[in-house]
Amino acid sequence: MLLVVERFFLWFVLYSVAGWVYESILVSVEQRRWVNRGFLNGPLCPIYGTGAVLCIALLSGLRNPFALFLACAVGASVLEYATSWLMERMFHARWWDYSNYRFTIQGRVCLAGAIVFGLGGVFLNLVAQPFVARWTDMIPPLALTVLCAVLLAVLLLDLIVTVSGMLHIEDSMKALNDTVQEYIAKAGESWQSGRQTLSDRLRELSQSRQDVMLRLQKTVLKALNRQQRRMIRAFPHFSLKSKRYDSMLEAIRELMRRGR
């Protein structure tokens, strides 16, 4: 029984890494810069690993490609929706938003994503997993136990660091929002919500008041911890439940781009 659990855990890690590679390349090409596209610090996207393991455990006996495609498309959409909802409940924030896509449900899932995951599930079960299973079967039991123990310890540590760093992001944003607007007001013309966004004002300041820009960049570094800055940088659609910080998040991204 332990051997079966260890193999599934190793598959979870492998497919989490594969998902991280896919997401990071996709977003990096889109943004023309390297992006660590993952909730964790390490090179893993756990939602991909979870989806892959569930697909293997529940659908390994399904050999009809069309039926497998439908099952994976629906199953992945349910998992993605549940993950989005749970993360929003925990952190009062949303990491992705498909509202601009056609055929979406509350911006959490969309038809295009379901099709991609459906095709991915067919490839996983019929092509990739038989090869991966043969490879993992070659690992001696003792080596597999040690490897899984090390990977589990690293994964749990990464999870603790990430979650603890993100729990109070709303408080950090509130304090930062007040400070940034105070700096901009002191710089000259006042900023008024609805007439000019914070990021627009920052673009103007970058041309005339480099001293203000530098102070604002230092303020962001001080107010937001490493985890919070990484999430904002890596997820273009990251937003807090309170929409009052949307302009502030856009301004932070502008400051981080200019600070590189």
Side-chain angles (χ1 to χ4, degrees), residues 206-224:
S206 66
Q207 303 299 322
S208 59
R209 297 293 302 274
Q210 285 295 324
D211 58 324
V212 175
M213 287 293 294
L214 289 173
R215 285 202 300 270
L216 286 173
Q217 287 166 356
K218 291 179 181 178
T219 300
V220 170
L221 289 174
K222 183 178 180 180
L224 300 178

Side-chain angles (χ1 to χ4, degrees), residues 103-116:
F103 308 110
T104 178
I105 301 177
Q106 298 177 358
R108 301 184 190 277
V109 295
C110 67
L111 179 61
I115 292 173
V116 170

Side-chain angles (χ1 to χ4, degrees), residues 51-77 114-130:
V53 166
L54 289 174
C55 181
I56 295 166
L58 301 177
L59 304 175
S60 58
L62 194 59
R63 312 308 296 175
N64 182 292
F66 182 71
L68 187 57
F69 168 81
L70 288 179
C72 290
V74 173
S77 297
I115 292 173
V116 170
F117 290 129
L119 293 173
V122 173
F123 176 80
L124 169 72
N125 258 15
L126 300 184
V127 180
Q129 180 54 24

Side-chain angles (χ1 to χ4, degrees), residues 157-171:
L157 179 61
D158 195 345
L159 183 63
I160 291 171
V161 170
T162 302
V163 171
S164 62
M166 290 300 298
L167 281 177
H168 304 293
I169 187 171
E170 200 164 14
D171 295 334

